[in-house]
Amino acid sequence: MAARHLLRRSKETTTMRIGILGTGNMATVLGQAWARAGHELVIAGRSTPRAGLVAKEIGGSARAVAADRLAAESDVVVIAVLWEGLDDALTLANAPTGAFAGKTVIDCTNAVDFSTGMLKPATSAAQHIADVATGAHVVKALHLFAGQSWLAADEGESKTVAICGDDNDSLDITAGLIRDLGASTAVIGGLDHARQLEDVAGFVMAVVASGNNPASAVPSMT
Ligand SMILES: NC(=O)c1ccc[n+]([C@@H]2O[C@H](COP(=O)([O-])OP(=O)(O)OC[C@H]3O[C@@H](n4cnc5c(N)ncnc54)[C@H](OP(=O)(O)O)[C@@H]3O)[C@@H](O)[C@H]2O)c1
């Protein structure tokens, strides 16, 4: 049975049409978690039939659209593709020609070499999206926790999702959607902090690869 917090939509957040660009694991689990919280899901990727399968797996009113319709049919867009496919996916969604202009775009990608924990690009993935997706209000969020954890009935664990971005309304929208996943948020600054947030994911992976628990590798400040 789903955790109670996943079934309760926060009072502050209204139902949103959440568009997810991506048809992999992250799209599926985030879609399921937000659908449980009462949101509408719109799924797109490089294969619309595959997006249809993901929408079916999410259930409820989730539906697939062609990638070039995603922004128009969504209140907020979540980017959930591999770093290697990011530019192709953004192009399919017409992001470079302004389809995302004025929209909140939540970037959860990890451009990390999983074997070393080092970031692949010289810039941050989120800043790259902001550069490519003309006029988008990009927020870095949700890249650190395993997607599956948003579906787990972990009533005992409280998560804080660190996020950053330059647009206050988009930070508020993102915080509301994260609340609906059962977590709180910590805004750590503007999008110029994205690389720092992305590096934390690399750090966590490197500590895990060393056989240790990342929670024991940072000081407790309480
Ligand atoms: N899974 C997690 O727990 C988790 C947690 C936090 C962050 N993330 C990040 O979220 C992103 C998605 O992860 P995932 O687990 O969903 O990965 P995944 O299951 O491997 O799915 C990858 C997605 O990227 C797309 N893709 C790959 N190459 C592409 C290309 N050349 N052009 C267009 N699209 C391409 C795939 O499209 P097709 O379906 O068409 O192949 C698919 O939609 C990654 O950046 C990952 O680091 C994942």
Side-chain angles (χ1 to χ4, degrees):
M1 198 171 78
R4 201 151 44 89
H5 69 254
L6 292 175
L7 299 173
R8 190 184 62 234
R9 195 165 68 243
S10 70
K11 289 191 181 80
E12 296 84 353
T13 309
T14 52
T15 299
M16 304 202 83
R17 281 178 308 164
I18 304 171
I20 303 185
L21 184 59
T23 50
N25 293 322
M26 198 60 174
T28 306
V29 294
L30 279 177
Q32 288 173 333
W34 276 320
R36 286 181 185 183
H39 294 292
E40 289 177 35
L41 276 300
V42 185
I43 311 298
R46 56 182 166 175
S47 157
T48 305
R50 191 150 48 242
L53 293 175
V54 171
K56 198 170 168 194
E57 212 173 325
I58 291 169
S61 62
R63 63 195 167 86
V65 293
D68 63 357
R69 292 291 309 153
L70 183 68
E73 305 215 12
S74 308
D75 299 318
V76 50
V77 173
V78 178
I79 310 285
V81 297
L82 298 184
W83 162 251
E84 287 73 13
L86 187 57
D87 281 339
D88 286 350
L90 291 172
T91 300
L92 283 173
N94 287 339
T97 49
F100 290 6
K103 293 237 180 251
T104 299
V105 174
I106 301 172
D107 167 40
C108 71
T109 62
N110 278 315
V112 176
D113 179 333
F114 294 104
S115 62
T116 63
M118 300 299 284
L119 296 184
K120 293 176 181 172
T123 180
S124 87
Q127 283 180 307
H128 180 72
I129 292 171
D131 289 344
V132 172
T134 310
H137 300 313
V138 180
V139 177
K140 187 77 196 186
L142 293 170
H143 64 301
L144 195 51
F145 292 95
Q148 198 64 37
S149 71
W150 301 116
L151 292 173
D154 50 359
E155 294 279 12
E157 188 193 14
S158 70
K159 295 192 190 75
T160 301
V161 176
I163 68 175
C164 67
D166 292 333
D167 182 74
N168 286 336
D169 288 345
S170 295
L171 288 167
D172 285 347
I173 288 168
T174 304
L177 293 177
I178 290 170
R179 225 170 16 240
D180 291 344
L181 294 174
S184 57
T185 52
V187 178
I188 66 157
L191 203 63
D192 55 355
H193 279 265
R195 171 109 184 157
Q196 182 182 49
L197 277 188
E198 293 171 7
D199 235 345
V200 173
F203 167 77
V204 165
M205 287 171 200
V207 173
V208 169
S210 77
N212 292 284
N213 180 348
S216 70
V218 291
S220 169
M221 305 300 279
T222 54

